[in-house]
Amino acid sequence: QVQLVESGGGLVQPGGSLRLSCAASGTIFSINAMRWYRQAPGKERIWVAAITIGGSANYAGSVQGRFTISRDNSENTVYLQMNSLKPEDTAVYYCNADIRSSTSSYGMNYWGKGTLVTVSS
């Protein structure tokens, strides 16, 4: 069984920084792409950033230059460094990953339960 658990959310003032973490656990054989999404109150969940197993990263235009996604393959963990935070970054941030379990011959897509980030003075 595979789980994704996010951490690092909280309350931060505009212009501040936070670092989110997402750790994958369970019977993992391999992890391919890892991603961050966010869902603001009353809005749909949207993609924020993605990183390949080789470390190539892509970002949504709204966070380009402010957020940095990274991963530690030895720890099965993905990070999201968020700088210059704005009130409009307030959302629940979700981790998403393509993971092949050691008990399966194919990969599946998994979601974490999310961590709340609130940007407010």
Side-chain angles (χ1 to χ4, degrees):
Q1 199 167 6
V2 173
Q3 282 188 319
L4 294 174
V5 178
E6 302 95 335
S7 61
L11 174 64
V12 62
Q13 292 187 341
S17 298
L18 277 178
R19 188 192 196 207
L20 306 183
S21 300
C22 171
S25 62
T27 54
I28 296 170
F29 179 78
S30 63
I31 302 178
N32 200 347
M34 304 185 83
R35 310 169 189 89
W36 288 97
Y37 287 75
R38 69 185 182 187
Q39 186 167 17
K43 296 188 177 182
E44 293 184 350
R45 190 176 301 187
I46 61 172
W47 172 75
V48 173
I51 187 166
T52 66
I53 189 172
S56 296
N58 285 285
Y59 301 92
S62 60
V63 307
Q64 180 80 45
R66 299 188 298 123
F67 290 10
T68 302
I69 189 171
S70 61
R71 63 191 286 173
D72 184 335
N73 292 330
S74 67
E75 297 291 335
N76 291 334
T77 299
V78 63
Y79 304 97
L80 187 67
Q81 177 67 44
M82 305 185 295
N83 299 328
S84 303
L85 283 161
K86 306 175 182 180
E88 51 263 42
D89 294 317
T90 295
V92 177
Y93 284 72
Y94 296 90
C95 178
N96 174 271
D98 298 325
I99 301 174
R100 179 182 166 186
S101 166
S102 58
T103 61
S104 175
S105 59
Y106 56 89
M108 293 180 62
N109 187 257
Y110 292 86
W111 288 92
K113 293 184 178 181
T115 184
L116 177 62
V117 172
T118 303
V119 184
S120 176
S121 55

